[in-house]
Amino acid sequence: MDFWITTMFVTIALDFIVKGSGETVNDRLTQLKKAFRDREAKNLILFIGDGMGMSSISAARALRAQQDLSKQEKLLNLENLPYTGLIDTHCQGTFSAESGCTASAMYAGIKPTPNTLGVRNIEVTSCDTEKIKKSQFNTILELAKKSNMKVGVVTNTRITHATPAALYAKTSSRYWYSPKDVPKNCDVESIGEQFEKRMHEFDVAFGGGLRDLPSYIEGKNMSNAFPSVNFLVTGKELENFKLENSKPVIGVFAENHLYNAMNRSDNIEPSLSNMVRKAIDFLENKYGYVLVVENGLIDILHHANLLQKSLKELLELDNAISDTLERVNLDDTLVIVTADHETSLSFSGYNRGVFEYPMHNQTILNTSFIIYAYGSKTFQPDDEGEVLDDINDQYPAMIKAKWGQHGLASVYVGGDGPRAFLLTGVHEQTYIFKVIEYALGFNKLSVATSLIATTVSYYIFIVLAFY
């Protein structure tokens, strides 16, 4: 009986594959004509799937289809964006990528020394505070504030983790999360200290990471410690919160990262989608806003080779993207979706049962490979009897290492809204910032500043020349 049921489902799946998705050239032309908007954007929402390489996107789509055959030929929401391209993610002086340098590339158009945040050409772990101060650069946080825009960040990692921290932190080490992580003879402020000092610059900031904040470490009540902001610590508080003042809304909902999508209680820790919905509600204003959204658990779970958990997080990000596209006005809101880098996941083979072992069979047509390049559990040819069909299963790697590594391949970028058409093609990662700068009119600030400086210099020259 099981055989006939399986055969029926495989037949249905093959029917989807043979007939295809049904998309036509006319459908594509209609989408492009509708999406084209060559005007300045009022708002920006930048979605970042940390570690979300093309293999991860394809594997997530396959996992979703395997669980729901009706979605066999349907793309993810992020793949359906009208304008798409590829982004090269290498860091300064290397082909590889890490989240501090890649985030800075997107937020500021600058690639700093790997593992530093918000500073140019500083040696990693340098304690030269004067040099660090002189080498700081602005990100879209500072640029948006200069334009009277509101600013928000949403992450399911610690708010001190590299991708969110690159918005505000200026440090020679992305790993100096809390005061205890900074060497005793070093006067550089930890990322947690910097967040406490600068949280009022955000209008919304949601994530985890209480353990890195000095006030929490000292045992203080966070709401009492920061009366100038609305400080929230549970998902239930966020759900019930009504913004009735002009104070920033800061939510730090866990000591560490937020629970992954399968183990979350929204009363304790809010979902990514709920945090994004609330953030957009709080940020709406006549001057516009910039919102950065990161699902960092995609990468963290990939590092642990917990494939299905990572892909569930990717699908959660995809749901948040879908919800956002339905909520915002794309005539004035630019939505960009990308990754900071990929992870070393290989997705190949011929077996229809993509997420089932054995990964190695005697018949090559039955072989299915979803395997990492690096990881703590290595693949063995005699693993034929093992079945990896549980959400908590650790997937094997070809090379033994303490944890999984980042990949070097280009990553996806897609967009919709004003000037999203600029995202098509293959680009270096700093180009994302250039699109943001142009779409929001930030480059007008630099042009105006340059003109003012030139005019002042000219008059000074005239005065000196005829004095």
Side-chain angles (χ1 to χ4, degrees):
M1 186 66 178
D2 289 341
F3 170 78
W4 294 112
I5 293 174
T6 302
T7 302
M8 178 183 70
F9 279 121
V10 170
T11 302
I12 293 171
L14 288 173
D15 187 54
F16 274 110
I17 294 169
V18 171
K19 290 182 178 178
S21 65
E23 182 183 26
T24 66
V25 172
N26 284 334
D27 293 335
R28 178 64 174 148
L29 287 171
T30 300
Q31 182 193 35
L32 290 174
K33 289 176 182 177
K34 182 181 178 182
F36 186 81
R37 302 172 181 88
D38 189 9
R39 64 175 73 97
E40 197 168 289
K42 175 185 175 184
N43 310 310
L44 165 73
I45 303 176
L46 173 61
F47 286 96
I48 301 171
D50 201 315
M52 185 181 70
M54 296 300 298
S55 292
S56 296
I57 293 172
S58 299
R61 188 184 340 112
L63 176 62
R64 185 191 64 175
Q66 188 158 300
Q67 295 171 344
D68 183 353
L69 286 174
S70 68
K71 297 180 179 178
Q72 181 77 29
E73 282 296 299
K74 293 182 179 178
L75 299 175
L76 300 183
N77 297 300
L78 65 89
E79 295 177 291
N80 269 317
L81 293 168
Y83 300 106
T84 60
L86 291 174
I87 295 295
D88 174 39
T89 65
H90 73 273
C91 285
Q92 183 187 107
T94 175
F95 288 113
S96 61
E98 60 84 27
S99 294
C101 120
T102 55
S104 296
M106 293 185 281
Y107 301 160
I110 293 170
K111 289 196 172 183
T113 305
N115 297 312
T116 66
L117 299 174
V119 291
R120 296 174 186 258
N121 302 319
I122 291 290
E123 184 181 349
V124 181
T125 69
S126 169
C127 293
D128 188 338
T129 54
E130 191 62 30
K131 189 175 181 182
I132 288 173
K133 186 176 181 180
K134 289 179 179 178
S135 66
Q136 295 177 8
F137 55 80
N138 287 338
T139 69
I140 52 177
L141 167 64
E142 289 94 358
L143 293 174
K145 284 298 180 181
K146 287 180 181 178
S147 298
N148 295 317
M149 301 174 75
K150 290 190 174 184
V151 178
V153 60
V154 171
T155 181
N156 55 10
T157 66
R158 301 199 303 274
I159 202 75
T160 53
H161 229 234
T163 302
L167 277 171
Y168 63 87
K170 317 294 181 184
T171 178
S172 60
S173 176
R174 56 168 285 192
Y175 297 109
W176 288 349
Y177 301 116
S178 74
K180 62 180 173 53
D181 297 317
V182 182
K184 291 182 179 180
N185 60 344
C186 190
D187 291 330
V188 178
E189 286 186 321
S190 69
I191 299 170
E193 289 172 297
Q194 293 187 51
F195 179 73
E196 287 196 349
K197 287 186 176 181
R198 299 194 68 186
M199 69 169 69
H200 66 278
E201 296 179 40
F202 288 98
D203 297 280
V204 171
F206 297 152
L210 284 168
R211 75 179 196 184
D212 295 331
L213 305 184
S215 297
Y216 182 81
I217 295 170
E218 294 166 8
K220 295 179 181 178
N221 178 291
M222 299 303 284
S223 297
N224 295 337
F226 301 101
S228 62
V229 306
N230 299 291
F231 205 103
L232 312 176
V233 293
T234 69
K236 189 172 183 179
E237 283 183 317
L238 176 61
E239 186 63 35
N240 296 331
F241 181 77
K242 306 295 182 186
L243 185 58
E244 298 174 347
N245 55 48
S246 59
K247 295 191 294 186
V249 185
I250 308 298
V252 187
F253 304 107
E255 288 195 345
N256 200 349
H257 309 304
L258 304 189
Y259 281 113
N260 61 65
M262 287 68 63
N263 300 322
R264 181 180 295 111
S265 167
D266 277 351
N267 284 333
I268 302 172
E269 298 176 2
S271 67
L272 187 71
S273 293
N274 197 33
M275 289 192 289
V276 174
R277 281 194 295 270
K278 289 290 187 178
I280 292 172
D281 288 344
F282 299 151
L283 290 171
E284 284 286 359
N285 74 100
K286 65 179 180 180
Y287 297 111
Y289 62 82
V290 168
L291 173 62
V292 175
V293 179
E294 181 213 23
N295 190 321
L297 294 182
I298 299 170
D299 179 70
I300 289 169
L301 293 165
H302 267 323
H303 277 296
N305 297 160
L306 294 170
L307 176 64
Q308 290 199 45
K309 282 190 172 184
S310 177
L311 299 183
K312 288 283 188 179
E313 289 295 337
L314 196 157
L315 293 174
E316 171 143 332
L317 176 66
D318 195 55
N319 290 335
I321 292 166
S322 175
D323 184 61
T324 298
L325 291 171
E326 291 177 3
R327 290 169 59 84
V328 302
N329 180 3
L330 290 171
D331 285 334
D332 65 12
T333 303
L334 172 60
V335 177
I336 299 176
V337 180
T338 190
D340 54 349
H341 57 76
E342 69 143 9
T343 43
S344 57
L345 178 69
S346 174
F347 175 43
S348 59
Y350 298 98
N351 191 352
R352 295 188 185 96
V354 174
F355 293 91
E356 297 174 1
Y357 245 31
M359 286 176 54
H360 177 83
N361 281 327
Q362 294 179 350
T363 306
I364 192 159
L365 290 179
N366 290 331
T367 301
S368 176
F369 286 107
I370 290 193
I371 193 167
Y372 289 95
Y374 298 88
S376 59
K377 175 183 178 181
T378 53
F379 169 70
Q380 300 295 330
D382 59 355
D383 284 348
E384 293 184 25
E386 187 174 5
V387 177
L388 294 182
D389 57 359
D390 186 83
I391 197 74
N392 294 306
D393 282 332
Q394 187 181 35
Y395 277 65
M398 294 301 296
I399 302 171
K400 192 168 182 63
K402 188 176 180 180
W403 51 70
Q405 305 290 315
H406 294 169
L408 309 185
S410 297
V411 297
Y412 169 91
V413 65
D416 200 352
R419 294 175 176 165
F421 59 86
L422 293 170
L423 296 168
T424 57
V426 181
H427 303 281
E428 200 276 326
Q429 200 162 32
T430 54
Y431 178 74
I432 291 177
F433 171 76
K434 294 171 185 176
V435 172
I436 292 170
E437 183 183 42
Y438 178 66
L440 292 177
F442 288 163
N443 56 340
K444 292 179 182 177
L445 294 174
S446 58
V447 171
T449 302
S450 178
L451 287 172
I452 291 170
T454 302
T455 303
V456 171
S457 298
Y458 172 76
Y459 281 113
I460 291 173
F461 170 77
I462 294 296
V463 170
L464 293 175
F466 292 94
Y467 181 71

